[in-house]
Structure formats: C-alpha cells, structure tokens
Amino acid sequence: MDRTRFSVEDDSSILDEMPLMMSEEAFENEESDYQTLPRARLAQRRRGLGWLLLGAWKLLCGSCCDCLLRLCRRRKELKARTVWLGCPEKCEEKYSKNIIKNQKYNILTFVPGVLYQQFKFFLNLYFLVVACSQFVPSLKIGYLYTYWAPLGFVLAVTMVREAVDEVRRCRRDTDMNSQLYSKLTVRGKIQVKSSDIQVGDLIIVEKNQRIPADMVFLRTSEKTGACFIRTDQLDGETDWKLKVAVGCTQRLPAVGDLFSIKAFVFAQKPQLDIHSFEGNFTREDSDPQIQESLSIENTLWASTVVASGTVIGVVIYTGKETRSVLNTSSAKNKVGLLDLELNRLTKALFLAQVVLSIVMVALQGFVGPWFRNLFRFVVLFSYIIPISLRVNLDMGKSAYGWMIMKDESIPGTVVRTSTIPEELGRLVYLLTDKTGTLTQNEMVFKRLHLGTVSYGADTMDEIQSHIVRSYGQVSAQVTHQASSSTTGGTTPSGKSQTAGPRVRKSVSSRIHEAVKAIALCHNVTPVYESHGNGETESAEADQDFTDDNRTYQASSPDEVALVRWTESVGLTLVNRDLTSLQLKTPSGQILSFHILQIFPFTSESKRMGIIVREESTGEITFYMKGADVAMASIVQYNDWLEEECGNMAREGLRTLVVAKKSLSEEQYQDFESRYSQAKLSLHDRALKVAAVVESLEREMELLCLTGVEDQLQADVRPTLELLRNAGIKIWMLTGDKLETATCIAKSSHLVSRSQDIHVFRSVSNRGEAHLELNAFRRKHDCALVISGDSLEVCLRYYEHEFVELACQCPAVVCCRCSPTQKAQIVTLLQQHTANRTCAIGDGGNDVSMIQAADCGIGIEGKEGKQASLAADFSITQFRHVGRLLMVHGRNSYKRSAALGQFVMHRGMIISTMQAVFSSVFYFASVPLYQGFLMVGYATIFTMFPVFSLVLDQDVKPEMALLYPELYKDLTKGRSLSFKTFLIWVLISIYQGGILMYGALLLFESEFVHVVAISFTALILTELLMVALTVRTWHWLMVVAELFSLACYLASLAFLSEYFDRSYITTWPFLWKVSAITLVSCLPLYIIKYLKRKFSPPSYSKLSS
C-alpha cells in the first residue's frame, strides 16, 4: 500500500495519464470506473474551429494587454530582508511606502476611466456612434438634441455617482494615512504620520491604537513581557491573541537602550499566510552574540489593534507588502447578469437593424450614393435600440434600492451598490462566514458529564453547593495540617493523596477534581480595568481582585466560557502570568499554582496540556483537555465517553474531554530533562518533542466531559432551510478549527441530521490528493468538510475535478481558510459553474470574498464595519438574507426583465412602422415622425406608465417566503431570454404593421392625417400594453396611465405643425383610431386570457 503511494508521489507524469477513479485499494476496478478523461479535457478537444477563431483571438488580445500592463508596472520581486533596529538608512533596497490606497482613479484617469467603463458596453458605444453621425450633414435625420440630450444625461448621472464614491474613498484613505504615531529616535520620541513610517523604524503603539505596519514585537510596558492584540479586522476572530516580546530587548533596563545595542532582525520575504512567520533576532555587540528565533507569536501585523499595555516594535514590512494588504483583493466593477443579457439582446437588435437597412437599400436597387442611404437607414432605425433603456434600468435599480432600504421587515439594510439589485434574484451559491455571521461568537457552558451523573443548565446550583462544601472541608484540613506541622511533623510533598488503596470516589470529590481541572487547564488570562487611569493590567499579587472589573482573554472563546463557568460555581481565576496562576475559592482563600510546562493546542494534536505545582502542598499534576478523538486513546478504559460525546454533538455542543495524571517529583524531573533535550535538537524537533510529551499521555484519569454551545444568530436555522429549499447551495468558509466548523454546520442545520459528513483527510502532495479525491468520489449525497491546506493542494493539481465533485455536495464546509482562499473559492465557482455567487460576512477577513462575489452582503457586527462598508448590500442580521433574496431579489429581477423588454418593444414597434412607411413610399430614407413627436413618445407620453412597471409584483412577499421553491425558476433566467425576447419582437412587428397599414388604409386625403391617426393609435396601444403586462395593480400605475393620456390630449392643442386640429376633433378620426387600436391590442388580450386559463404559471396557482 505504501509502495503504491510513493510511486504515485514520485512520478507526476504517470498521474496525468492515470484516471482519477483509480483507488488505492484495488486497481482492478470495474470498466465503468475508468472514466479516464475528466470533462475538462474532453471539452478542450470539442472546441475545434470555433475556439480557434474566438478563443485564440481573445487569447492574443489578452496576452498583448498583459504584456503592456507588465511593462507599465513591473512588480518588484519580494525578497527576505535584514532590518537593523532604528536604522532605516541601512536597508539594502528601497521598500514600498506605508500608504493605504483604495481609490480606483486619480485626477488624470477619472474621466477616461469612467468613460471606458461606460463605453465598453455595446449599448452605450452604439448610441455614441449614432449621436456623432448627426454632425455629418448628409446623415442628419432629426434634431441634434434628440440624440445628445439622453446620452449626456446618462453620462452625467454616472460621472456624478462615481465622483461621490471616489471622494468618499479618498477621505477614508487620507484619514488612515494621516494617523499619528510615536517614533523612537536617538534624540527621543517624535510624531510621524502613518504614511511616513519606513522599514527599520522603531514605533511605539499605545493601547487601543491600530498597528500601522507589520512589526516584530521588541518591548512592552506589561511586566509579563507579553501583550494582547485584537485581530478581528485581519482574521475575523474576535478573541484576543497573546503576543510575546523578544526576550533580549524586553530585558533591557530602559527603552533608550534599544539604540545602545547593535542588533538586527532577519525576516522571511513577505507572504500571504497570516498564521506563520519565520525569522531570527541577532545581537552582535555581545560576546558571544545572542540569537533568538522569531515565530508568529513575536509579530504584530498591520490592521490589528493593541488591547493591553504599550508596545514597541521594529517595522519589517510596509504598505503593499503587509499581510493585510497582500490578503486584500482590489474591488472590481460589478456588472449584473441581467445587464449582460440585455447587452447580448441589443447586439442581436443591432444585427437586425443592419439587415433591415441592407434590405431597404437592396429593394431600392443600390442606386445613387447607396452607402450613404444605408447609413441613413441605420440611423433611421436606431430607435430599435432605445437609449431610454439605459436610463429606465438605472432609475429602476435606484428605485429597488430605495424600496429595500425602506422595508420595515429588514431595518438597517443599506444598498451601497445600486447597479446590481437584480443579482439578488439569480443566486445559486451562497458562501458564508461562520463566526459572527451564523454565530454570535458567544460561548455558553451547557453541560458537565462525570460518567454516572450529568449536570445541565438547570442543575448547576448543585455543583456550586458541592464546591462550597468541598473547599470548606479542604480549608479546614489545611488549617489542621498547619497546626500539626508547627507542633512537630511535616507531610511528605506529593504523597498525601496518592497513598492508600484506590477507593471509588464520591460524586462530591469527583466534581471538586473536575472543576479544579477546568479552572487550571487553559490559556486564559484575567485582565483588570483599573478605574483611575483606564489602563488595563494583568493582576498583581497585592491587587484587589474585585469581580466587577475583571475580564478574561484567551485565543479561544471556548476556554473563556469554561473559566467563566468555574467562576459561576465558586472557583475563580484571579491572576495569571507566564509562570504562575492563582485561584480564589468560595471562601475567599487564594490557591497559588506554579506553571511548570504548557503544551499549546494545535490542529494536529487536537489537545492542550499543562503541568502545575500547587504551592501549598507541592503536588505536581498534569492536566489535559482536548477533542474526544484525540483523548479516547489517552484516558483509562471507560464505557461512556464515546456515547456521551455523540449525544452532545447531536445537540450541537462543542465537547472537550478533561483528564489528569499525578506526577511524583522524580517523574517530573525525568520528563523535564528529556523534554529540554528534545527542544534543543536541530533535526525533527517537532517529532522528538511530541514523542516525549506522549510518554506522559498514558493511562490518564478521565475526569469529565464538557459541552459548550456557540450561540447561533437569531433564526439562522429557518433562514438556512429557506435558502436550501430555494435551491441555493450554501458553502461555509471559516478561519476556525475543523471540529468547531463541523459542530456549527450541524447545529445550524447547514448539514441535516440524516446526512453523512465526509471529512477530507489532510493531504500534502499530489499522490495523497489523488487517492483522497477517489475516496470522496464514491460517497453520495454527503456534506464535505475540508481544510484550507488540503484545498490548496487539490486545487493545484486537480482543480476541475475537485470543483466538479464539491458542486454535487448539498453543503460544503471549508475551515482554516485565509482571506485570499475565500476569494479564490468564489472565483473558482464563477469560472467552473458560470452561476451567480453571493458572499456574506462580517469581518475584515471577509472583504476579499465579498468583493470577488457577484453579489456581496456585509453584516454590521461585533467585528466592526469593514465588511459592511466593502459590501454591495449591508444588513444587520443574517436572517434578513431570506427576505432580501426571496422578496426583493425576485421583484428586482422580474421588474427589470419586464421593464427592459417593454422599452425594447417601444423602440421596435416604431421601427416597424418606419419600415412599413419607407417601403410604401418607394424606400425613401425619410423619418415618419420628426422632432418633438419622437422626443415626446420616448418621454412624457409613455415614460411614466412604462416606468411604473417597477411597482409590479407577481407574488405577494408572504407567498414568496412561504414557497421559496418559486426562487428556483428565477435562476433559470426565463423572465428574460431569447424566447421571451422573440415573443416581444413578434408582438412589435404585428402591432407596428397593423398601426401603420391601418392608418394608410383609412386615411383619406392629407398625409398629415396618417401621422395623426397612427401616432394617436400608437400612444393608446402603448398605454394598453402596459395594462396588459401589469400583474398586480398599484394606485401609482393608474395615476401614471391617466397622467400620460392627459398629457398627450393636452399636447394636441400645441402640436399644430404635426396635427390638423380641425380633423382630430371629428368622429372619423376617433373611430379610425379606436378601430386600429382595438385590432392591435384585442388579440393579445385574448391570447393572455387563454394562456392564464389553460397554462397558468406556477405562482398564479398559489395566488389563486
């Protein structure tokens, strides 16, 4: 088996030929297993000539553009560096400036940039060409203002909107760059702006101040030599992280001594990974020279905030090279799918327009200057693609944004990008963060299980009474021992409890042991807020340990929940530093413990341990807590652990197994010597250290099992169920641990109880990824849980295959994801599935993902506003997503689809009339309606009723939320497709033909009567067609219809140059207009009635 794996690893060329279906267990699989070539490779072969013409052209253009870009801005290669303390001038090369820049444009690029963004769309470019053609006298058809006024209006609105956004971004950047910091120099402290900080500077950062650049932590005002920082804007985690100052510089007597030593930091080249760092600190002027290795705990990354004390650091990375900037992708201009579809339809209309013009010229017989006539016909039929399409859609989008913000059911919702509200109705994938988005990130202790007895939230008072009683007895024993020792005898340390036969412990003593273990085995530090000067400080031995100003800090909120619980039952952690901790008993007595060793939690070991010596008795105890999978083999045999862990997990609780082992002084001394030796070894250090620790982890006494609940946000479960029923696939991307992520996936019902979960094994190379993907392929209908490292390996070698398999899963959980990986997953889904994606998060670490997605939603949460400011839509709670998508997404898409097609119909109907008119009058390129008639038709006569379609709705909001399955239809894009477009084209041709031929048949003598009859019938037809399209009437729609009709009737009095006033007040005019309008509209009303009767849409069945 191993031989197979090694051969697979070594020869990567074999892997290219090997089918992904091959398994490690049996290469003699069935024929059906040998799906030798994945879809991607087949697709490449099928491309053929089409690809050669289109793809190759795109490739050529793309590569040329890339080369030009690379020449314009050559990216400097990132290198490792040596940084001398306080000597920026000694740097070997010039590093990037410490400037934050989120602006898209500058003064020179603003106008060209905005114009490019507008005219890269075919629709706008087409209008520009048509408008410019009117400057040529021989091509001039009508008045210049009929072409330039709408185009100028669209561009002006766009430029103003972009300018406002750009000014806001510029102000935010200026605020960040001009923040002042204290810089240490030989002459003392000076104030510098954040943007003037350089690599090598010694910067002082006060409590609650943002760290301006990536630094190595040299000194702190805290006596422990460590400080806490808040990293919520970097990795999304709200718990504080403990950072340790470099020992050599922390031991210096005064701050000024940093300039009296000759020292440098060697730092690795700037990288994306925020969880790792490798470097060395070297002091040259001592004999022998001092060297200290630097790791992640000695770093202070930019965008984090100092939470305790004052820190001094040496800057190692600035500006673009900081971890936070490397993990932030630049914002892209988002374009909705509906806009792209309309862009395609306008290209089809343009093609039809050119063909129609060629037919006209051909029927003329290509006589005279036919080329000029051809262009005149193109301009004449330019109303096929109406410029009001852009204006109407942009105004519609603004209206939808206003409706979303005014919806009282989702208060506090803000629409930041007004161009993509229709995207909310087309989503297939929802990628969500976990901490703060699905959960409140507030841990609550729920259950303690001792094997024979279990305590829940309602029986915690029993534990409290046991603790009060047992510590009362202990203190009595201690006073008795103290009095006996003064009279002559001493108790041998470490032997008092272990001596004597093992008897079954009482429940009270077991609770005492369990609570004590939970109170000692952790990495929590109590922090006190002193009321005098607002400084935070770790408690000192002589300080008053009052409960009201104590807060706990740890790298895991689970640990804080456990320590808070021990405080609630009577055993309180009051002080901790790097070498000792102190507990306060219910009676107020202080128990002191000396910390001998700490074994921190890692994702590989899944457990943490601590060895402490109780100062009053001298007892040495090794406590350990961890995940059940890691602890099951370490603790003594028992018959309840596995079953109870399963029960708690089903309740959505995060379980931890707690165990202990008493050590004699000799045992500990032996362990310490072996452990120190292992830590100094140069080869396989981690393996040797783990082996020594494992020698202790045998036959440990199982104390208890704890259950902690991460409280979910309000209504998360029903919201996720609603989204699932709507056909939306949900992926959870989190920076948290695998166990935590799996637990939340279960408790939030992201993964249903009946579903299996496939945890993707940790893979580090191509061969392992190959075998693990095969194992995963055999699983059906199971949720996938994968870590960021394994994901990276899979994407490097088997991108297409992995995405194909993952997309078949009902739910996917990616844990330990970096911000860049989150964005990468979004991009992958967009490329491989061509479906619309939505990303939702609440922290600075979610910004890249939100910006990469087609639609980004930010939640204003505890982790600040960074995500909500970068998002397209900002909400206050996760549960608002349901209404945002089901109701507003549906309405925005349906309304825009109807509005877009109706505006096109309005242009096509008049172009059909123009074509009929020209063909009757010997194919003359003369306009049918001139000047104000055309402007009035597109604006005041029909604009309000057509725009009132933004108030239409096919389903009531309650119905859309009750039947989320209706959302599935939207993702298929049936409201705006070539089929619906073709139906509107046929309607336009029929109506345009009837109106024009009818007017030509029924007019008597004057040509001006043709204009009067056809134009009046056209206006009435448009108003009736709006009424036909509407599904739910709103009072404003009725007002718009009546207002437009009144405007037209009133204008008849002023348009004497177009109409014969004496004729339009006669009966013949009225009956002719009525007859033509009836023939053009009645058949469509009959067809609509029959369709509703015999083939009603799904939503109408629900409405009835």
Side-chain angles (χ1 to χ4, degrees), residues 523-570:
N523 238 326
V524 181
T525 307
V527 175
Y528 292 88
E529 203 74 40
S530 55
H531 302 298
N533 54 6
E535 288 266 322
T536 306
E537 49 188 57
S538 294
E540 296 300 322
D542 56 349
Q543 192 175 337
D544 176 30
F545 301 134
T546 50
D547 294 343
D548 55 352
N549 67 342
R550 184 194 310 111
T551 54
Y552 294 115
Q553 288 305 335
S555 59
S556 165
D558 301 59
E559 293 204 316
V560 175
L562 293 171
V563 172
R564 278 211 188 106
W565 175 77
T566 63
E567 180 183 1
S568 72
V569 295

Side-chain angles (χ1 to χ4, degrees), residues 565-720:
W565 175 77
T566 63
E567 180 183 1
S568 72
V569 295
L571 196 59
T572 310
L573 173 70
V574 288
N575 178 33
R576 176 177 189 142
D577 54 36
L578 296 174
T579 57
S580 68
L581 55 76
Q582 289 166 322
L583 303 177
K584 187 168 76 172
T585 66
S587 59
Q589 183 192 352
I590 299 290
L591 305 176
S592 293
F593 296 86
H594 186 66
I595 300 171
L596 300 174
Q597 299 288 350
I598 290 184
F599 314 112
F601 181 94
T602 65
S603 50
E604 288 77 38
S605 70
K606 296 185 176 58
R607 56 189 181 270
M608 72 86 57
I610 187 168
I611 301 178
V612 293
R613 177 189 274 123
E614 191 166 354
E615 288 186 6
S616 59
T617 62
E619 278 180 22
I620 299 175
T621 314
F622 173 36
Y623 291 106
M624 179 161 270
K625 70 167 189 278
D628 54 311
V629 286
M631 298 291 287
S633 57
I634 292 170
V635 297
Q636 292 167 348
Y637 174 76
N638 62 83
D639 55 3
W640 60 271
L641 183 61
E642 191 179 347
E643 185 186 344
E644 287 307 324
C645 280
N647 292 341
M648 285 194 195
R650 277 189 285 280
E651 289 176 45
L653 300 180
R654 296 152 72 130
T655 55
L656 281 173
V657 179
V658 184
K660 78 163 200 176
K661 186 176 193 176
S662 295
L663 302 176
S664 64
E665 190 67 43
E666 297 79 37
Q667 280 176 312
Y668 174 70
Q669 291 303 334
D670 172 51
F671 164 78
E672 192 189 28
S673 65
R674 288 186 293 123
Y675 187 63
S676 303
Q677 209 172 341
K679 278 210 291 189
L680 289 171
S681 65
L682 294 171
H683 303 292
D684 300 328
R685 183 186 297 179
L687 284 171
K688 287 176 182 173
V689 167
V692 174
V693 176
E694 274 174 28
S695 67
L696 274 189
E697 298 170 347
R698 288 181 190 149
E699 289 296 299
M700 294 187 74
E701 182 189 341
L702 174 58
L703 296 176
C704 63
L705 175 66
T706 65
V708 174
E709 182 182 44
D710 186 356
Q711 292 190 309
L712 294 171
Q713 294 267 11
D715 294 334
V716 159
R717 290 187 186 114
T719 304
L720 288 176

Side-chain angles (χ1 to χ4, degrees), residues 348-361 374 378 381:
L349 283 175
F350 176 69
L351 204 64
Q353 178 188 347
V354 172
V355 170
L356 188 58
S357 305
I358 292 169
V359 169
M360 285 292 173
V361 174
L374 175 67
V378 169
F381 295 135

Side-chain angles (χ1 to χ4, degrees), residues 478-491:
V478 167
T479 51
H480 171 69
Q481 280 182 8
S483 61
S484 66
S485 63
T486 51
T487 55
T490 56
T491 53

Side-chain angles (χ1 to χ4, degrees), residues 1-52:
M1 183 166 159
D2 284 340
R3 209 177 303 143
T4 309
R5 179 174 296 179
F6 284 120
S7 65
V8 165
E9 280 171 24
D10 296 341
D11 195 352
S12 61
S13 61
I14 297 171
L15 281 163
D16 288 327
E17 304 304 319
M18 196 186 290
L20 192 65
M21 284 302 298
M22 281 193 181
S23 64
E24 191 177 20
E25 297 84 0
F27 277 85
E28 299 83 29
N29 274 340
E30 295 177 19
E31 287 293 316
S32 62
D33 275 4
Y34 286 80
Q35 298 169 358
T36 322
L37 288 166
R39 246 182 257 169
R41 290 166 201 163
L42 286 175
Q44 275 176 347
R45 291 187 182 178
R46 285 197 198 119
R47 285 168 178 167
L49 188 65
W51 180 83
L52 196 69

Side-chain angles (χ1 to χ4, degrees), residues 107-175:
I107 293 170
L108 294 175
T109 59
F110 178 72
V111 174
V114 173
L115 290 177
Y116 169 72
Q117 289 300 332
Q118 286 303 301
F119 292 124
K120 73 177 182 182
F121 282 106
F122 174 77
L123 190 65
N124 292 358
L125 187 63
Y126 164 78
F127 294 135
L128 182 69
V129 172
V130 169
C132 289
S133 74
Q134 294 307 286
F135 288 117
V136 181
S138 59
L139 300 176
K140 194 172 178 188
I141 295 290
Y143 300 107
L144 273 177
Y145 70 82
T146 58
Y147 293 93
W148 278 101
L151 186 64
F153 176 72
V154 172
L155 289 177
V157 168
T158 307
M159 283 204 166
V160 168
R161 194 171 60 197
E162 280 291 335
V164 170
D165 288 348
E166 196 64 9
V167 167
R168 281 183 190 152
R169 279 193 286 267
C170 181
R171 279 184 184 159
R172 281 206 296 268
D173 290 349
T174 308
D175 289 347

Side-chain angles (χ1 to χ4, degrees), residues 89-116:
E89 66 280 354
K90 279 193 182 182
C91 289
E92 297 151 11
E93 56 181 289
K94 204 173 177 191
Y95 299 113
S96 62
K97 286 188 173 182
N98 196 42
I99 291 174
I100 290 172
K101 190 179 179 194
N102 291 310
Q103 290 162 253
K104 286 186 195 172
Y105 313 104
N106 58 36
I107 293 170
L108 294 175
T109 59
F110 178 72
V111 174
V114 173
L115 290 177
Y116 169 72

Side-chain angles (χ1 to χ4, degrees), residues 402-446:
W402 184 82
M403 288 173 197
I404 290 170
M405 290 197 276
K406 289 293 173 191
D407 188 347
E408 290 175 4
S409 303
I410 47 173
T413 303
V414 181
V415 178
R416 299 192 192 279
T417 308
S418 60
T419 54
I420 55 166
E422 301 91 358
E423 292 294 276
L424 293 169
R426 309 290 296 276
L427 302 173
V428 178
Y429 289 96
L430 180 81
L431 300 102
T432 172
D433 177 38
K434 176 189 73 70
T435 312
T437 304
L438 295 179
T439 68
Q440 297 177 24
N441 204 27
E442 283 181 10
M443 307 295 168
V444 181
F445 190 94
K446 285 286 184 182

